[in-house]
């Protein structure tokens, strides 16, 4: 576990553990928020312990950050530094694929519009 012997430290709250796992994954707040489908301000509220994510977002967080939901909730189990090597390369590739998918969808829409205009001639 990452918590200090006296229980103090960055990982002693849910928000602190989210920050720790996000930083270990090499993600910015904006990047993680986008992947979760939430506003950056929402994620910042979770990280500062002003609010907590719903269970579905908590499980998404755990998956994206490569930590167990149990560790996020109460700090028990492997912390991000003890877990498998960071999947930042995989996560970056995933993000790039999502961006490419969006570009393909836009291009497909443009092609469909041109075809429709040609069919109308």
């Amino acid at each position: 576990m990452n918590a200090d012997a006296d229980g103090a430290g960055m990982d002693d709250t849910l928000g602190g553990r989210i920050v720790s796992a996000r930083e270990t994954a090499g993600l910015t707040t904006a990047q993680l928020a986008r992947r979760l489908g939430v506003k950056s301000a929402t994620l910042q509220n979770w990280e500062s312990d002003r609010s907590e994510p719903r269970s579905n977002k908590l499980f998404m967080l755990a998956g994206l950050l490569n930590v167990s939901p149990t560790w996020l909730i109460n700090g028990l189990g492997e912390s991000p530094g003890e877990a498998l090597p960071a999947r930042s390369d995989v996560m970056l590739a995933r993000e790039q694929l999502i961006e490419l998918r969006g570009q393909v969808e836009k291009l497909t829409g443009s092609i469909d519009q041109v075809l429709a205009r040609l069919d109308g001639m």
Side-chain angles (χ1 to χ4, degrees):
M1 282 185 280
N2 247 7
D4 297 339
D6 64 359
M10 182 174 174
D11 294 348
D12 63 346
T13 67
L14 172 63
R17 287 186 290 275
I18 293 170
V19 171
S20 177
R22 177 180 56 75
E23 289 175 350
T24 299
L27 296 170
T28 66
T29 304
Q31 289 170 325
L32 182 56
R34 183 173 58 246
R35 290 177 185 187
L36 286 166
V38 300
K39 294 179 181 177
S40 291
T42 300
L43 180 56
Q44 290 167 350
N45 284 337
W46 297 344
E47 289 185 346
S48 62
D49 293 309
R50 286 190 292 260
S51 64
E52 294 183 356
R54 292 178 183 241
S55 61
N56 63 327
K57 294 296 182 186
L58 185 85
F59 280 91
M60 284 179 67
L61 266 171
L64 288 170
L65 298 174
N66 197 28
V67 296
S68 74
T70 302
W71 181 81
L72 273 180
I73 294 167
N74 59 26
L76 298 177
E78 289 185 345
S79 66
E82 298 168 338
L84 296 173
R87 297 175 9 188
S88 59
D89 289 341
V90 173
M91 296 175 98
L92 177 61
R94 185 177 188 284
E95 185 174 280
Q96 290 171 338
L97 286 171
I98 290 170
E99 287 179 32
L100 284 171
R101 182 190 312 151
Q103 292 173 2
V104 167
E105 289 171 356
K106 285 181 183 178
L107 184 57
T108 301
S110 297
I111 290 170
D112 289 345
Q113 288 176 354
V114 171
L115 286 172
R117 278 188 271 158
L118 288 173
D119 289 343
M121 293 182 147

